[in-house]
Amino acid sequence: MNIPLYIVWNEENNLGIPIIDEQHRAIISTINTLHYFMRNKDGTMITASTITILNEYTKFHFITEEGIIKDWNYPEAEAHIKLHNELYIKTIDMASKLKIYNDTGELLQFLKNWWIRHICVEDKKYASFILRRSLPDTDADRDK
Ligand SMILES: [Fe+2]
């Protein structure tokens, strides 16, 4: 059966921080797996464990990312962490309602929109801050 991927990872979404890029790909991959099982009526049991895996993995990812932005003294760290907390609470809430309403489309659409926007807009901001600061000194700086 040839079901297209729900989200196709675009290499332009890479931030240039290898562990973060790797984890973002894993999150998108898990959302694609969730989509696959949700489309398959026999996948109800697996859907629940895929959501659990997504939530647990999201936790690891946020711990990684928040550690990095704090290490680099990213000025917007507090606001960024707030966005993570909001996503986490919202996903758990939507996943629990899923058991009652079985509205799989709404959860998938929310996850897709949230993650793509977060990676491409919010994460890009801290990545360019870090990458700018981690550049080797320019020749002009070295000559001083
Ligand atoms: Fe983030």
Side-chain angles (χ1 to χ4, degrees):
M1 198 164 38
N2 189 15
I3 299 175
L5 286 176
Y6 185 56
I7 307 171
V8 177
W9 181 256
N10 182 340
E11 291 302 316
E12 285 177 18
N13 296 340
N14 287 335
L15 302 179
I17 302 170
I19 187 64
I20 296 296
D21 290 332
E22 189 72 357
Q23 292 180 351
H24 281 160
R25 271 192 291 269
I27 286 165
I28 298 301
S29 166
T30 311
I31 296 171
N32 281 332
T33 300
L34 186 61
H35 172 257
Y36 177 81
F37 285 128
M38 281 178 166
R39 296 226 12 203
N40 179 344
K41 285 197 180 95
D42 299 329
T44 319
M45 293 287 289
I46 301 169
T47 297
S49 34
T50 312
I51 290 173
T52 304
I53 288 170
L54 179 64
N55 286 340
E56 290 300 304
Y57 195 86
T58 298
K59 225 187 277 177
F60 303 147
H61 170 61
F62 286 167
I63 290 169
T64 311
E65 204 175 77
E66 290 167 14
I68 291 173
I69 60 179
K70 281 180 193 163
D71 282 353
W72 283 89
N73 294 319
Y74 177 52
E76 304 297 322
E78 286 291 311
H80 197 98
I81 292 168
K82 200 166 164 251
L83 292 174
H84 287 175
N85 293 340
E86 285 167 5
L87 175 271
Y88 199 71
I89 291 164
K90 176 98 174 155
T91 310
I92 297 215
D93 179 53
M94 289 188 86
S96 67
K97 285 185 184 137
L98 198 63
K99 288 180 194 145
I100 305 166
Y101 302 114
N102 203 28
D103 184 358
T104 56
E106 195 189 345
L107 177 64
L108 281 167
Q109 192 67 52
F110 167 74
L111 289 171
K112 181 179 185 176
N113 292 346
W114 193 91
W115 278 104
I116 294 298
R117 190 187 181 282
H118 188 76
I119 294 169
C120 296
V121 179
E122 302 300 335
D123 288 347
K124 255 192 184 140
K125 289 184 202 165
Y126 82 71
S128 50
F129 173 82
I130 289 173
L131 293 173
R132 258 199 324 272
R133 295 192 67 183
S134 63
L135 285 174
D137 293 344
T138 62
D139 288 345
D141 288 338
R142 267 199 303 274
D143 291 342
K144 278 179 198 165

